[in-house]
Amino acid sequence: MAAATAALSLSSAASSSSAALLRPGWAPLRRWRTLARSTSSFPRSAASDEATVISGTKLAHQVLKEVRRDVELWISAGNQRPHLAVILVGDNSASHIYVRNKIKAAAAVGISSEIILRPKDISQEELLDMTAKLNKDSRVSGLLVQLPLPDHIDERTVCNAVVPEKDVDGFHIMNIGRLCLDQPSIIPATAAAVWEIIKRTGIQTFGKNVLVAGRSKNVGMPISMLLHTDGEHERPGGDATVTITHRYTPKEQLKIHTQLADIVIVAAGIPKLITADMVKEGAAVIDVGINHIHDPLTGKTKLVGDVDFEEVKKKAAFITPVPGGVGPMTVAMLLKNTLLVAKKLIY
């Protein structure tokens, strides 16, 4: 740090423009000084030797309370109540549960909604026609088509059929493009949930090493974009150094990357992919995994994440559980997106 200060002093003497960098009000220097004073990891819970378990449920209640307040203000100003339309194709049980949760949460914050059910053998043309009608429906402020879709339907075509200004999922190519260019956009709800958890928990990202396990265009990629981009751009990012791994990353290479990471975000869909020996002491671990596995003790199916939760929490400083972590926040951020599109704050 002394060498860095000396280098800055020499640059300052060399030119007046460099001297401006040393002004107390220059934001990047202030942030660098804050970073230099911080440690390479996060403080563990003072109450125990285990990680602070981040309750996504509690954070979601905070977000939903804010959304409900803003919806009431929006309506009291004489505006139309936000309305969310959800197209649900087929009989995927998980999708039906997710949609019910979204509709229930929408009602709780004062957003009206509807579910449009269609059989799994619906043609792509029929689905696109339905989407086009809802795009033109002035009652509908937000529209999403629940994924996954049956194999005979091209998901990318359907996602791009939802007009960007109603695309509460943030999957339209225009919204993804704006996200990648650090411009204001509708951010995919799961990625927005991870970003919101990090910010509300006070986890530092500036200058930190982040490992994102998973490269999906709906989750891994947007999370990576949010965390690595400039915090002073039009759409502020996390100023972190981000590494992305995926299903073809050898386990030994994955372990090298995770052991270097201050923040590990896992969205791979592989139960217990991340074990305690892969995580450095004091890291923050955010588990986005959704895996339904058979529990031999109860004979029932249970929901687990991608992290060996019980073991990893003994080393991490922060960790999210599954269930009760990213999931509830994803629903909350979807409704925040619904209000955003109703108020036309992006387009």
Side-chain angles (χ1 to χ4, degrees):
M1 186 61 188
T5 303
L8 282 172
S9 299
L10 289 171
S11 298
S12 173
S15 70
S16 59
S17 61
S18 295
L21 299 182
L22 297 178
R23 289 198 300 267
W26 194 61
L29 185 57
R30 289 201 309 273
R31 291 158 72 187
W32 168 251
R33 286 170 175 161
T34 300
L35 174 66
R37 288 194 298 266
S38 68
T39 60
S40 61
S41 59
F42 307 105
R44 294 167 67 83
S45 171
S48 71
D49 291 331
E50 294 189 344
T52 296
V53 178
I54 302 170
S55 173
T57 302
K58 289 183 179 178
L59 292 178
H61 284 320
Q62 294 176 12
V63 174
L64 293 173
K65 184 177 179 180
E66 294 162 9
V67 172
R68 181 169 62 247
R69 177 200 63 207
D70 291 346
V71 167
E72 290 171 354
L73 289 172
W74 177 248
I75 295 171
S76 64
N79 298 294
Q80 177 179 293
R81 183 179 298 278
H83 183 81
L84 174 64
V86 181
I87 300 176
L88 179 54
V89 177
D91 51 11
N92 182 297
S93 58
S95 291
H96 279 256
I97 292 171
Y98 299 150
V99 169
R100 284 200 300 270
N101 290 339
K102 293 169 184 178
I103 298 302
K104 182 179 178 181
V109 299
I111 293 176
S112 62
S113 61
E114 63 181 307
I115 304 174
I116 303 168
L117 294 171
R118 287 297 180 267
K120 62 182 179 181
D121 59 353
I122 186 175
S123 70
Q124 181 165 303
E125 290 72 25
E126 289 178 281
L127 186 56
L128 292 175
D129 286 343
M130 181 183 306
T131 302
K133 290 177 182 177
L134 292 168
N135 284 336
K136 297 175 182 177
D137 190 337
S138 60
R139 296 180 310 108
V140 177
S141 45
L143 169 62
L144 70 86
V145 181
Q146 181 66 39
L147 303 181
L149 292 169
D151 292 340
H152 67 281
I153 296 176
D154 182 68
E155 289 186 353
R156 175 48 50 200
T157 298
V158 173
C159 289
N160 284 333
V162 178
V163 290
E165 59 270 25
K166 291 189 178 186
D167 172 34
V168 292
D169 262 339
F171 293 162
H172 190 281
I173 191 169
M174 185 176 292
N175 282 321
I176 291 294
R178 291 175 69 98
L179 173 70
C180 292
L181 292 174
D182 303 346
Q183 296 177 354
S185 64
I186 309 299
I187 299 172
T190 302
V194 171
W195 184 221
E196 197 72 14
I197 286 171
I198 288 172
K199 290 188 292 182
R200 289 182 184 247
T201 307
I203 297 171
Q204 296 180 33
T205 60
F206 184 77
K208 298 295 185 180
N209 289 321
V210 176
L211 183 281
V212 178
R215 60 181 176 181
S216 76
K217 298 302 178 282
N218 300 340
V219 181
M221 185 276 287
I223 287 173
S224 302
M225 296 304 302
L226 289 168
L227 285 169
H228 94 271
T229 49
D230 195 323
E232 296 188 351
H233 277 189
E234 191 176 351
R235 190 268 302 143
D239 285 309
T241 301
V242 178
T243 300
I244 304 172
T245 63
H246 48 77
R247 69 178 65 183
Y248 300 123
T249 303
K251 190 68 178 281
E252 60 272 18
Q253 292 296 321
L254 174 62
K255 185 175 181 178
I256 291 172
H257 293 304
T258 55
Q259 288 178 334
L260 290 172
D262 302 298
I263 303 171
V264 178
I265 301 168
V266 200
I270 303 173
K272 294 191 177 182
L273 173 66
I274 304 300
T275 51
D277 62 309
M278 300 172 70
V279 178
K280 77 174 183 179
E281 191 82 24
V285 180
I286 298 180
D287 191 350
V288 191
I290 299 176
N291 306 290
H292 297 273
I293 65 170
H294 177 72
D295 186 347
L297 296 177
T298 64
K300 297 180 180 179
T301 299
K302 67 176 183 178
L303 180 65
V304 299
D306 291 350
V307 175
D308 186 347
F309 180 82
E310 293 301 328
E311 293 302 316
V312 171
K313 75 176 182 179
K314 296 175 184 178
K315 289 185 70 176
F318 295 95
I319 191 168
T320 60
V322 177
V326 176
M329 277 294 285
T330 297
V331 174
M333 298 310 294
L334 173 74
L335 296 178
K336 191 169 184 177
N337 282 352
T338 303
L339 178 60
L340 187 68
V341 298
K343 297 172 75 171
K344 304 186 187 304
L345 293 181
I346 300 297
Y347 294 96

